[in-house]
Amino acid sequence: MKLLLTSLALGAIAAPVAASQGEFHCRGSDGYAADFDGRSTYLWRPQWLEAIAADEARRTSLIKEATKALARGPYSVTDKGRLVPGASPHDYTSIGPYWWPDPDKSDGLPYTRRDGEVNPERDGPNFDKDRLRNLGRDMQALSLGYYLTGDERYAERAGLLVRTWFLDPDTRMAPNLDFAQGIPGRVDGRGEGVIESSDLSTIVESIGLIAPSGALSDTEMTELKGWFTQFATWLATSDNGTDEMQKTNNHGVFYDFYLAHFALFAGLDSVTASIANKFPEFRLARQMDKQGRFIEELKRTRSWHYANYVVAGAARLATIGECVGADLWNERLEDGRNFQNANDFLDRYSGAVETWPFDDRDHAAGRFDKMKQTHQLVDVLFGRGDYFPADGDLP
């Protein structure tokens, strides 16, 4: 079940080929609603969800998880025990994953970086990362439970979680990430914090899946779309958002995906189309070489993970692009490069990950099974393999 839930959270929902040949079509901000009984998803393709429903073992497992989620939450950014200087109780706050107290300083400040080593402090009660992760997990479980059973309890609980996090004036999150991935002793928030929008992406899909239930009223849906309009505006205009947009590694790719996804949900289809249409020149031309390598990712201590991760992010955007008529799967640059080159490069090693030629902590430790699982996510996004990938851990 963990594998299945992870696949949904990451947006690995079906093959692009299957989508183009099937009877379902994503139509702008309406998503698949017209062909999927009002369910307005964008990444969670109907064909993929129907395949889950037809698998009795997975269906049973998911319903059990949804039932557990009925007793969890609700969650709020106002639950944290202390505030980052300058932040309000409604501001989302977190610290960078690879930053640790300096052992040579009595107060540990400023924090120092250990690439690839996650500081567990960031998942503690004084920050919001774990709360947002739990919200995404439960929204996913509840929305799937409702889809699989029609039981209104799951949709109603999901509606409560949404109202608490996004709409209730006393508990709502402010639509910004000004204080995300801060570094104690250095900076309160950074552009890198935008990468923590992954759970917001999961929540958008979950909201679409429970749409037929009416658990969220028309007024509440309008307010939600207003929240995501404000958040998309923050992404496009804030210092942190602008900084992330200019990144030339996986952060820049995921920035494009998140902004495109949230703009689509908010009804800003032209924004999504603009991002998708500019992606080949703005991202692929600058970040991917003729061999299909995203060079910045190969410099990391977990180079195989990040090489796959950036391609999976671009594939998410390609999936979103279909909703506005963009075909990023096949579009080519003037020199012949296209997105398929990136997958071809990874395929050279996916069957024999022990031959991966770049520095990698997992490779050095002989964790070849983990490396193979990481690539299964890319396989699913490109239309190969089973209809759910193995566990793909986010940074």
Side-chain angles (χ1 to χ4, degrees):
M1 180 169 61
K2 179 182 178 184
L3 306 185
L4 179 57
L5 294 176
T6 299
S7 70
L8 281 167
L10 295 177
I13 305 308
V17 173
S20 64
Q21 293 177 348
E23 59 182 298
F24 302 103
H25 302 279
C26 186
R27 297 176 173 89
S29 56
D30 291 333
Y32 288 104
D35 300 326
F36 199 33
D37 298 324
R39 301 178 183 97
S40 53
T41 59
Y42 311 104
L43 290 170
W44 295 4
R45 300 184 191 270
Q47 301 98 319
W48 195 86
L49 291 164
E50 289 185 344
I52 296 173
D55 187 313
E56 189 59 34
R58 294 189 178 103
R59 175 188 172 91
T60 299
S61 179
L62 284 169
I63 294 171
K64 287 181 179 179
E65 186 64 26
T67 302
K68 292 178 184 177
L70 288 171
R72 296 194 291 248
Y75 309 96
S76 168
V77 292
T78 61
D79 291 338
K80 50 184 167 284
R82 70 180 184 215
L83 298 179
V84 170
S88 82
H90 296 278
D91 287 318
Y92 176 94
T93 65
S94 67
I95 59 173
Y98 304 140
W99 293 86
W100 295 72
D102 186 338
D104 297 325
K105 304 290 180 61
S106 59
D107 60 0
L109 301 177
Y111 277 28
T112 58
R113 192 169 192 269
R114 305 181 196 171
D115 188 27
E117 298 182 43
V118 177
N119 179 356
E121 180 185 359
R122 89 189 215 103
D123 292 330
N126 290 322
F127 298 101
D128 295 312
K129 173 61 178 173
D130 196 49
R131 275 182 282 275
L132 182 56
R133 180 191 297 117
N134 291 338
L135 174 63
R137 173 203 63 196
D138 288 352
M139 283 294 298
Q140 178 177 285
L142 291 165
S143 65
L144 282 170
Y146 172 70
Y147 166 71
L148 293 169
T149 68
D151 190 330
E152 298 287 343
R153 293 179 304 156
Y154 300 127
E156 291 296 332
R157 187 66 180 180
L160 173 63
L161 298 188
V162 167
R163 282 189 287 274
T164 303
W165 189 274
F166 295 100
L167 301 180
D168 188 322
D170 293 330
T171 58
R172 72 192 295 267
M173 172 186 163
N176 69 71
L177 290 174
D178 286 333
F179 298 91
Q181 287 210 12
I183 305 171
R186 295 180 185 270
V187 64
D188 293 331
R190 300 180 297 154
E192 286 86 346
V194 170
I195 204 76
E196 296 185 10
S197 297
S198 59
D199 292 296
L200 295 176
S201 180
T202 299
I203 292 163
V204 164
E205 295 300 302
S206 300
I207 291 170
L209 200 55
I210 66 168
S213 72
L216 293 165
S217 69
D218 290 344
T219 298
E220 288 170 333
M221 285 299 298
T222 297
E223 292 175 357
L224 271 173
K225 291 181 179 182
W227 192 97
F228 277 93
T229 297
Q230 293 179 63
F231 188 66
T233 301
W234 179 89
L235 283 171
T237 63
S238 67
D239 289 344
N240 283 357
T242 301
D243 179 64
E244 190 76 339
M245 180 269 292
Q246 295 172 342
K247 292 290 193 303
T248 57
N249 63 356
N250 67 82
H251 281 261
V253 169
F254 272 89
Y255 172 90
D256 286 358
F257 163 65
Y258 293 138
L259 181 52
H261 195 188
F262 303 145
L264 196 60
F265 176 72
L268 306 173
D269 297 31
S270 62
V271 174
T272 303
S274 177
I275 294 167
N277 290 328
K278 293 178 180 178
F279 186 80
E281 289 291 343
F282 191 68
R283 296 293 179 199
L284 294 185
R286 299 180 181 187
Q287 294 182 221
M288 187 187 76
D289 69 8
K290 292 184 178 180
Q291 296 184 53
R293 302 178 301 180
F294 285 80
I295 299 301
E296 290 300 313
E297 314 310 323
L298 302 181
K299 301 175 183 177
R300 303 296 296 272
T301 61
R302 299 173 66 210
S303 59
W304 175 255
H305 163 77
Y306 280 105
N308 282 271
Y309 180 64
V310 69
V311 174
R316 291 175 177 83
L317 179 59
T319 305
I320 287 293
E322 294 175 30
C323 299
V324 290
D327 182 8
L328 296 182
W329 304 104
N330 297 305
E331 186 168 344
R332 291 184 177 274
L333 296 168
E334 289 186 2
D335 62 7
R337 280 179 292 168
N338 80 341
F339 187 29
Q340 183 63 44
N341 299 144
N343 194 43
D344 292 343
F345 168 68
L346 294 174
D347 276 350
R348 297 178 199 171
Y349 304 98
S350 61
V353 292
E354 63 275 9
T355 65
W356 180 245
F358 302 94
D359 289 339
D360 187 278
R361 294 177 60 183
D362 292 329
H363 186 280
R367 293 191 284 264
F368 301 134
D369 286 344
K370 179 179 180 180
M371 294 174 69
K372 290 177 182 177
Q373 290 175 348
T374 297
H375 185 68
Q376 287 178 26
L377 170 57
V378 176
D379 268 345
V380 168
L381 286 163
F382 274 84
R384 298 196 303 259
D386 203 351
Y387 58 81
F388 67 96
D391 193 14
D393 51 330
L394 288 168

